[in-house]
Amino acid sequence: MNTIGGISSITNGQSALESAKFNSEKGKFEELLRSVKTESSNFTNRNLSSSQILPEGRLTGDFSTGFAGTFNSESDKTSLPIGAAANQSNPNVKQKTIDRTSKLYEKSLEMESYIVKMMISSMRKTVLKTDGEGSYAQKMYEDMLFDEYTTLMTKNAGFGLADEMYLQLSNGIEA
C-alpha cells in the first residue's frame, strides 16, 4: 500500500472533496445564523398589523388554545384545590386556597399539560399503525390534535398537578 499519498490516495481525493463541501455548508449555515440573530434583534413587529398580535406575543394563527382566560370569575380567586392537591393527610392543617386567575396558576396548568402530553405520547407509541409511517403532514396534524387533547384534559380532568405546583410555588413566594 502506498503511504506517500496518505488517506487521499486511498479514497481518490473523496475525503478532501467531502471536507471542502462540509466546510462550505458550515460557513453558509453560520452566516444564516448570524443574519437571523441580527434580524431578530432588530425585529419590531413592523411586518404585522396590531390585529394579528394577541396578548403575550401570540399570533392569531397559533394553533394551541392555551390557558389564558380560562378562569376569570371572582370565585376562581379563592377556590379550593382539586385532585391530588386536595388530599390533605393532616386534618389540623388549614387548607390553602388557589387563585386560578393568577399568572402562576396559568403557568402551572401549562406544566401539567406538558406532563400529560408526555404521558399521552408514550401511550401513542405503543399503538401499532397498519397504514405505514404516514406523511409528514399527517404526523404534524396528529401532534397538534393531541396537543389540544392534552389541553382539554388538563382543563377538565382534575388531575390536580397544577394545583399542587401552584401551592408549592406560592408557598415559596409567601415565605
Side-chain angles (χ1 to χ4, degrees), residues 2 9 34 56 73 92-93 151 163:
N2 186 359
S9 66
R34 277 193 294 279
E56 302 299 316
S73 69
N92 298 324
V93 175
T151 301
D163 291 8

Side-chain angles (χ1 to χ4, degrees), residues 99-168:
D99 181 8
R100 296 186 194 284
T101 61
S102 71
K103 200 71 159 157
L104 177 60
Y105 189 74
E106 182 182 328
K107 296 303 176 186
S108 298
L109 281 172
E110 288 177 11
M111 183 65 184
E112 179 180 335
S113 178
Y114 180 73
I115 292 169
V116 171
K117 175 151 174 65
M118 288 189 324
M119 178 183 69
I120 296 294
S121 295
S122 295
M123 294 164 89
R124 284 177 60 200
K125 289 179 184 176
T126 65
V127 176
L128 297 175
K129 292 191 175 190
T130 58
D131 61 347
E133 289 293 316
S135 68
Y136 176 77
Q138 179 182 356
K139 289 178 185 177
M140 186 170 52
Y141 174 76
E142 285 179 356
D143 194 46
M144 291 167 52
L145 178 67
F146 279 94
D147 281 345
E148 286 300 309
Y149 284 161
T150 57
T151 301
L152 290 172
M153 286 177 69
T154 301
K155 287 180 182 178
N156 299 317
F159 293 121
L161 295 173
D163 291 8
E164 188 65 36
M165 281 185 260
Y166 176 85
L167 290 173
Q168 290 294 320

Side-chain angles (χ1 to χ4, degrees), residues 3-175:
T3 58
I4 296 172
I7 299 293
S8 184
S9 66
I10 296 171
T11 60
N12 293 328
Q14 288 296 340
S15 63
L17 181 63
E18 291 298 320
S19 177
K21 285 181 183 178
F22 175 77
N23 288 333
S24 173
E25 290 297 318
K26 182 180 174 188
K28 289 177 186 177
F29 182 71
E30 288 173 347
E31 180 59 34
L32 177 65
L33 284 178
R34 277 193 294 279
S35 68
V36 167
K37 285 180 183 178
T38 56
E39 286 179 21
S40 66
S41 65
N42 297 332
F43 183 68
T44 57
N45 293 335
R46 63 181 174 265
N47 297 330
L48 301 173
S49 68
S50 59
S51 64
Q52 291 177 303
I53 302 173
L54 298 175
E56 302 299 316
R58 295 185 64 193
L59 299 177
T60 54
D62 283 351
F63 63 88
S64 178
T65 54
F67 298 100
T70 301
F71 301 101
N72 51 17
S73 69
E74 280 299 314
S75 63
D76 289 332
K77 292 185 178 190
T78 56
S79 61
L80 294 175
I82 59 171
N87 298 332
Q88 183 67 271
S89 62
N90 188 347
N92 298 324
V93 175
K94 182 184 175 232
Q95 195 168 26
K96 295 182 180 180
T97 59
I98 294 176
D99 181 8
R100 296 186 194 284
T101 61
S102 71
K103 200 71 159 157
L104 177 60
Y105 189 74
E106 182 182 328
K107 296 303 176 186
S108 298
L109 281 172
E110 288 177 11
M111 183 65 184
E112 179 180 335
S113 178
Y114 180 73
I115 292 169
V116 171
K117 175 151 174 65
M118 288 189 324
M119 178 183 69
I120 296 294
S121 295
S122 295
M123 294 164 89
R124 284 177 60 200
K125 289 179 184 176
T126 65
V127 176
L128 297 175
K129 292 191 175 190
T130 58
D131 61 347
E133 289 293 316
S135 68
Y136 176 77
Q138 179 182 356
K139 289 178 185 177
M140 186 170 52
Y141 174 76
E142 285 179 356
D143 194 46
M144 291 167 52
L145 178 67
F146 279 94
D147 281 345
E148 286 300 309
Y149 284 161
T150 57
T151 301
L152 290 172
M153 286 177 69
T154 301
K155 287 180 182 178
N156 299 317
F159 293 121
L161 295 173
D163 291 8
E164 188 65 36
M165 281 185 260
Y166 176 85
L167 290 173
Q168 290 294 320
L169 292 172
S170 65
N171 189 25
I173 292 171
E174 293 170 2

